[in-house]
Each structure stands twice: as structure tokens, then as C-alpha cells.
Amino acid sequence: MPAKVDMEKIVSLCKRRGFIFPSSEIYGGLASCWDYGPMGVELKRNVKEAWWKAMVQDRDDVVGLDTSIMMHPGVWAASGHIDSFTDPLVECKSCHLRWRADAVEGEKCPQCGGELTEPRMFNLMFKTFMGPVEGEGSIVYLRPETAQGIFVNFENVVTTSRKKLPLGIAQIGKSFRNEITPGNFIFRTREFEHMEVEYFVKPGNDEKWLDYWVKERFEWYAKLGIKKENLRLRQHGKDELAHYAKDCYDIEYLFPMGWSELEGIANRGNFDLTQHAKCSGKELSYRDAEGGEKYVPYVIEPSAGVDRSVLAFIIDAYDEEEVEGEKRTVLHLHHSLAPIKVAVLPLSRNEKLTPLAKEVFKHLCPNFMTDYDDSQSIGRRYRRQDEIGTPFCVTIDFESLEDKQVTIRERDSLAQIRVPVEGLEKVIEAKLKGEAFDASTLWATRQK
Ligand code: GAP
């Protein structure tokens, strides 16, 4: 099944409407690095907030954490990342381009047809030096996953949170990987944000909890508007499991380049806690309050990428429609993800309309992310709000000056209702929460 939109259209919309720009663009850009513009930063914050709400706030068995990006190098030796976090790399003997060996079909360079070297293992961690002296003794790594910050704090969190197992620890933060072949816009980059939970359980209960988290995470994307036909599950084959994993499922999304991983949910067994206990010399086990039994917990890890989720939400929401003979591009984003919830649009920049329009804006903006726009024709302003996915536009016209009512236009149905300025925020709040937008209600006066 081909995806409905190609990536160029998404990249172009993201640039045009201030979602995502190439990093360091005025210097020609930096490969695989991207900057989030005014709309992108709101969308990204909303994705992280939706995740934190579902994973931490709405539950009593998960707590949050925020650990540093640079950690003791011993962490990465213990976790296996220094020895095993590698990809096989081949180099073209003619043009010297480097490729992931498993991404090259045949034995020739995909760029120039030249001969390739034998594969060698390439470590994906970025290295830097801590302090003023550069040398073996001052090497530190930028974390390639947030998970290790959670494992090394397991004891701290269990003793201070007074929680029993099963217990999850959640973290959102930047990770870095020196990917050999980044690409597909923000799908695979060298700097990205992770949203990870390490869910600690009693050994023997791990398979049950793996099933639970696979279902829970699949539903999270669907609840936020991703169409179920664009999502699927795939269990990892034994030969593709990460060095720490006993079992793993990918939630895949139908991206424009085909089905690709959106999130991984792994059963990490007791690999990490055992390794850190061995290498640090600190015991990392748990004593069951009821039975008094002592064990090293197993870990189920739902691990998602913020940027990859943002990309999937944009692609899935993207639509091109014909309205009254004109093409409109619209993002049908879930209300909770939309960067701007409501736009205040006076019919024109007219000195009689401006005071009421500004008053409405001042009323709404403490409650919702609100945009104010009075330049260009009303039609063009609607198109812009459609393209950034704004669920509601509030229009102030000359009648509004008389009857103190405004028109609310809904993004998806294009239906319009007329409501009093007094109490407008309550109406918008209810509609944002999902109350039906019924253009035949008492206040409805017009329908497009
Ligand atoms: N701690 C486990 C872990 O990191 P992973 O499958 O390597 O597992 C989890 O990564 C998620 O992080 C992926 O499903 C993806 O959404 C995101 N991710 C991984 N590498 C990425 C990259 N180079 N660029 C953007 N997102 C990435």
C-alpha cells in the first residue's frame, strides 16, 4: 500500500509554515540536523506533553526522571555500548563514500559502482573530552539512549519514591548517534529526542508486561489520531535483536518510504541492572515487601523518538482537499497536538474592528495558544491556519460590533457557528475537548 503523500511535500510544508528548518541554513546546512521553528516547537512540546501525561501523570506506577547527557564512561562499558553499539560499515575504494553494509545491495558502491572494502564495525557513539586536557583519560560519550541514566538511578528512585514494583521510570531527553546513513528528513538524524520508560517487573511477569506495553503504546498513537491502517506491529527476529534484548516488538508506521520503525518495545531482561551491579560493585536488586524475596528485576522498555513521532503525526494529518473549486492543504492534527488552538481573525485590518478583535485575543491567549492575524484576505488567512492545523478560527466582522457575537469556523468540517463574545473561551474549551461542532445549534447562523 503506497503512502498518500511524498516526503518532499512534507518537507516543503514544514519549511513554508515554520515547523522545521535545516540547521545552520545560512551556512549551507549541516547534514541530518534540523531546527524546529515556531510551529514545530509547539507541536513537539505537545507530543512530549501527551506522552508524559499518558505515561506518568495518568498512572500511579510510573515516575519521572531527568538525567545528564554525559555520564561516567564506565556506564557505556557496562551497558555494552562501547563493544556492541556498532553498525557494519563499508567504504568505496574509488569515491570513498561510506555505507552501512546491510543497506548496500550487491557488491558495488551505489554511488559510483566502485569496489567496496570489507565491512568493519563502526561505533555509533559520539566521543568528546571533558575538561581542558584532551586524552584517553578525559573521553566522555554523548548518550545514545536515555535508558542508562534510568538504570544507574534505579536504587535512588526506588528508595525515594516509596513505590513498589512493578515500577516504571520515565525520561524524555536528547540522544546522539553518529548514524552512517541518516536521512528521510527527521526520521533518522544524529541528534534526536527519546521518550523512554524502563518498567521494572518481577522475573516471570516480564512477558505479560511486554504484551501490555505493546498494546498500550499502539493505542497511544491511535488515540492521538494516527489511522490504524497506517500502523502495524512487527516482532524482531532473533538475528536483529539488540545486544541487551530478550524480545522486541516494533510499532511500524507507513512512512512515505515504506513501513518503518516508529517505536520499539523491548524486553531487556535483567541485562542492564546485572551489568551495572557487576561493574560498579553496588548491589542493584529489589526486596519484595510481601514475600521478602530478593531479585534483580526484569525490564520492559517502550522507547519512542519524539522527532519520528512528530513526523508521523504530520504525515498522517496531511491532506489535500478541493473546497469550492479550490485546493486546500490541511493538517487534521488531533486538537491536543495542534500548535495553535485558535486564531483570531478580524475580517479586515479596519480601525473599527481592531479593538474588539484585540480584546477577544487578550481573552483567549491566557487559556490557549492563540494566533492573531489581520494581514491579507480572510481566505488566505484561513488557508494558512488550515496548513498549520489550527482547529478553530474566530472571525470578527462588522456585525460583531453591533451584536457582540463572533463566528467560529471549524477546520475539518468548515462549519461555522455564531457565538457571543461573552463566554467564548468556555465554548472553545468544550470544542477542543471534543464537544460536537454542530452548526445547527441555537447559535448557528451560517454554514459554508
Ligand atoms: N533504548 C532503546 C532504544 O534506544 P531504539 O530502537 O534504538 O531503542 C528507539 O530507539 C526509538 O528512538 C526508535 O523507534 C526511533 O523512534 C527513535 N530513534 C532511534 N534512532 C533514531 C535516530 N537516529 N533518529 C531519530 N530517531 C531515532
Side-chain angles (χ1 to χ4, degrees), residues 81 85 144-148 151 175-179 182-183 186-196 198 221 236 242 244 248 250-251 261-266 268 301-309:
H81 282 83
F85 193 56
E145 60 172 11
T146 65
Q148 297 306 323
F151 293 127
S175 290
F176 302 83
R177 296 182 183 181
N178 200 2
E179 301 278 3
I186 53 169
F187 177 83
R188 181 170 286 111
T189 52
R190 294 189 171 118
E191 172 182 344
F192 61 97
E193 265 183 289
H194 255 136
M195 306 185 278
E196 302 196 293
E198 306 306 318
Y221 292 102
H236 279 208
Y244 49 72
C248 185
D250 282 350
I251 298 175
E261 177 186 343
L262 180 57
E263 165 162 354
I265 301 120
R268 292 180 79 127
E301 176 196 62
S303 173
V306 178
D307 314 77
R308 210 173 275 188
S309 303

Side-chain angles (χ1 to χ4, degrees), residues 154-380:
F154 171 70
E155 190 70 22
N156 284 335
V157 175
V158 169
T159 49
T160 56
S161 66
R162 300 160 50 80
K163 298 261 186 198
K164 296 194 184 109
L165 260 54
L167 173 66
I169 306 178
Q171 171 155 231
I172 299 180
K174 289 264 185 179
S175 290
F176 302 83
R177 296 182 183 181
N178 200 2
E179 301 278 3
I180 301 167
T181 43
N184 285 314
F185 194 29
I186 53 169
F187 177 83
R188 181 170 286 111
T189 52
R190 294 189 171 118
E191 172 182 344
F192 61 97
E193 265 183 289
H194 255 136
M195 306 185 278
E196 302 196 293
V197 165
E198 306 306 318
Y199 196 77
F200 299 89
V201 303
K202 189 171 179 178
N205 290 344
D206 47 317
E207 285 173 20
K208 179 184 87 184
W209 281 109
L210 178 65
D211 280 357
Y212 168 87
W213 278 111
V214 168
K215 287 196 193 91
E216 197 70 11
R217 294 302 305 145
F218 191 96
E219 285 306 320
W220 184 78
Y221 292 102
K223 267 189 226 147
L224 285 173
I226 298 221
K227 293 169 208 74
K228 282 201 174 166
E229 66 264 28
N230 293 334
L231 290 170
R232 72 176 189 192
L233 284 176
R234 192 180 68 79
Q235 188 175 16
H236 279 208
K238 290 273 171 263
D239 55 336
E240 58 174 325
L241 286 173
H243 63 274
Y244 49 72
K246 255 183 87 186
D247 195 2
C248 185
Y249 286 83
D250 282 350
I251 298 175
E252 295 190 332
Y253 178 72
L254 187 57
F255 286 97
M257 64 282 186
W259 288 102
S260 312
E261 177 186 343
L262 180 57
E263 165 162 354
I265 301 120
N267 182 347
R268 292 180 79 127
N270 61 9
F271 176 85
D272 302 271
L273 289 183
T274 306
Q275 279 296 106
H276 287 306
K278 197 164 92 192
C279 300
S280 68
K282 301 275 183 313
E283 194 185 333
L284 294 174
S285 57
Y286 177 79
R287 189 177 291 282
D288 210 277
E290 274 99 55
E293 194 190 338
K294 199 160 136 185
Y295 54 83
V296 179
Y298 273 34
V299 175
I300 307 303
E301 176 196 62
S303 173
V306 178
D307 314 77
R308 210 173 275 188
S309 303
V310 164
L311 182 59
F313 284 122
I314 294 177
I315 292 169
D316 218 72
Y318 184 94
D319 211 357
E320 288 172 12
E321 301 171 350
E322 181 118 345
V323 178
E324 293 172 352
E326 268 186 50
K327 192 188 100 176
R328 85 159 176 157
T329 301
V330 56
L331 288 188
H332 296 288
L333 285 170
H334 190 275
H335 290 174
S336 65
L337 300 183
I340 303 288
K341 309 297 182 203
V342 50
V344 175
L345 311 176
L347 197 60
S348 62
R349 189 181 291 165
N350 178 292
E351 60 183 25
K352 291 209 176 93
L353 294 179
T354 304
L356 180 61
K358 290 268 182 199
E359 192 189 312
V360 168
F361 174 74
K362 263 179 69 184
H363 241 72
L364 296 180
C365 70
N367 301 293
F368 324 101
M369 277 306 294
T370 310
D371 193 14
Y372 183 92
D373 189 2
D374 64 0
S375 61
Q376 300 184 313
S377 74
I378 189 77
R380 289 183 83 142

Side-chain angles (χ1 to χ4, degrees), residues 46-59:
N46 293 341
V47 168
K48 290 191 275 184
E49 263 169 40
W51 185 90
W52 196 264
K53 183 167 183 325
M55 303 300 268
V56 183
Q57 188 186 332
D58 292 351
R59 312 182 57 102

